[in-house]
Amino acid sequence: MGTLRDLQYALQEKIEELRQRDALIDELELELDQKDELIQRLQNELDKYRSVIKPATQQVHKQTELHEQQRTKRQAISAEPTAFDIQDLSHVTLPFYHKSPQSKELIKEAILDNDFMKNLELSQIQEIVDCMYPVEYGKDSCIIKEGDVGSLVYVMEDGKVEVTKESLKLCTMGPGKVFGELAILYNCTRTATVKTLTNVKLWAIDRQCFQTIMMRTGLIKHTEYMEFLKSVPTFHGLQEDILSKLADVLEETHYEDGEYIIRQGARGDTFFIISKGKVNVTREDVPNGEPVYLRSLGKGDWFGEKALNDWLWNGDGTTYKI
């Protein structure tokens, strides 16, 4: 009987141990679910910021996937592709508002000084400048109210405003500053209140106009890249989808006359295709010796596909960098 009681006691211990393990598994499953939700939110936020920092090409030509594998019962998350093409956007007429050269320069400099918008291409900035329209507010007016849904971004030209959050003063802003920029990323509520301290003159653009500019310039740039890649003899045999993926990751880089692109002995991890200009290929056969000229390369030529430690480059023109 003693042996049976021992077995019964051991069985009860095992059952309790299994129950505790089941409870722990449930807790871990819940924690993983919460982390998956957090990853999804962060991914969505990242996509929204990328729509400003990078051209919108990737929103049209590819889906954004999570960087890590999900468990079997969880589905991968991807961005919804936008069903626009260049033909659709080419028929959209963007508004144009006349500005003095001084106002144009002020808006441009304000955008280049803004953390969210400074990485836009100059062609995109130019269109934004052209589409911005004038807005004026009197002293003690509320331009933006915390918690309201916003769709406008502003550039200050004249006057001064105060920024507060939960009734606490954050800062004051004067001419040449951008504010309300989160509104052009997505349909969000305002995170702070902006009130005028003086009469102010602003320039504004709405989210729809901004996103149209991003989509159109992104698609046009992608088409230009595709045409350029197709003109490179080495890529003639590549399929359209491969060329499209290459076009998605191309990055335009400019070099001045005489500037080095690759230095002999430096570690290389970039592939270059020459779009404009010429480069010289030289090599130093002896340390600190006179560089030996090898050849020149021009439009359509490419380099950097192999180890780069034998070559030294200089020249001028525009290259596309992957």
Side-chain angles (χ1 to χ4, degrees), residues 97-111 125-126 128-130 132 134 155-158 176 201-203:
Y97 296 90
H98 176 75
K99 303 170 184 67
S100 67
Q102 294 80 8
S103 294
K104 289 182 179 180
E105 187 64 24
L106 179 139
I107 298 172
K108 178 183 174 182
E109 292 301 320
I111 292 174
I125 294 176
Q126 185 58 56
I128 292 171
V129 171
D130 290 340
M132 280 193 147
V155 174
M156 284 272 295
E157 180 163 19
D158 288 315
K201 179 180 179 181
L202 309 166
W203 295 97

Side-chain angles (χ1 to χ4, degrees), residues 41-263:
R41 290 198 301 271
L42 293 175
Q43 185 69 36
N44 291 338
E45 291 297 317
L46 181 61
D47 290 339
K48 293 165 188 173
Y49 287 115
R50 279 176 174 166
S51 68
V52 171
I53 296 175
K54 291 287 184 182
T57 306
Q58 294 180 355
Q59 297 177 9
V60 182
H61 297 283
K62 65 180 182 179
Q63 294 182 334
T64 304
E65 299 180 352
L66 287 177
H67 68 283
E68 60 182 23
Q69 293 182 346
Q70 301 286 335
R71 287 174 292 149
T72 304
K73 73 172 188 175
R74 292 174 175 78
Q75 297 180 350
I77 303 167
S78 60
E80 185 72 17
T82 308
F84 284 121
D85 57 29
I86 294 178
Q87 286 71 31
D88 295 331
L89 294 173
S90 63
H91 294 91
V92 178
T93 302
L94 294 173
F96 175 83
Y97 296 90
H98 176 75
K99 303 170 184 67
S100 67
Q102 294 80 8
S103 294
K104 289 182 179 180
E105 187 64 24
L106 179 139
I107 298 172
K108 178 183 174 182
E109 292 301 320
I111 292 174
L112 291 173
D113 188 51
N114 183 266
D115 289 337
F116 290 108
M117 304 176 69
K118 63 183 179 182
N119 291 313
L120 294 176
E121 295 184 5
L122 290 179
S123 60
Q124 294 171 328
I125 294 176
Q126 185 58 56
E127 287 204 68
I128 292 171
V129 171
D130 290 340
C131 292
M132 280 193 147
Y133 59 89
V135 182
E136 295 186 4
Y137 285 90
K139 184 180 179 181
D140 297 325
S141 298
C142 183
I143 304 174
I144 291 176
K145 184 178 180 181
E146 183 179 355
D148 286 353
V149 176
S151 62
L152 296 174
V153 61
Y154 301 93
V155 174
M156 284 272 295
E157 180 163 19
D158 288 315
K160 185 179 291 186
V161 298
E162 181 182 73
V163 184
T164 60
K165 183 176 180 64
E166 298 177 353
S167 300
L168 296 177
K169 179 180 176 180
L170 298 180
C171 65
T172 58
M173 292 190 298
K177 292 296 182 182
V178 175
F179 61 92
E181 63 269 24
L182 289 182
I184 59 176
L185 298 177
Y186 58 103
N187 191 21
C188 66
T189 56
R190 299 294 193 180
T191 58
T193 296
V194 179
K195 289 186 177 180
T196 62
L197 298 176
T198 64
N199 294 336
V200 300
K201 179 180 179 181
L202 309 166
W203 295 97
I205 186 172
D206 63 71
R207 180 173 61 253
Q208 183 176 359
C209 184
F210 176 84
Q211 291 180 348
T212 299
I213 293 172
M214 293 298 100
M215 290 294 297
R216 184 158 71 180
T217 54
L219 285 169
I220 291 174
K221 183 65 70 174
H222 184 272
T223 301
E224 292 176 355
Y225 287 171
M226 285 288 289
E227 293 301 317
F228 172 70
L229 291 173
K230 289 178 181 179
S231 70
V232 179
T234 308
F235 298 152
H236 284 173
L238 293 181
Q239 297 178 357
E240 191 83 5
D241 60 331
I242 301 298
L243 289 175
S244 180
K245 290 178 181 179
L246 286 175
D248 281 339
V249 297
L250 281 179
E251 179 182 339
E252 188 172 319
T253 310
H254 298 262
Y255 294 90
E256 299 296 330
D257 184 13
E259 185 177 355
Y260 288 100
I261 301 175
I262 294 174
R263 298 297 299 265

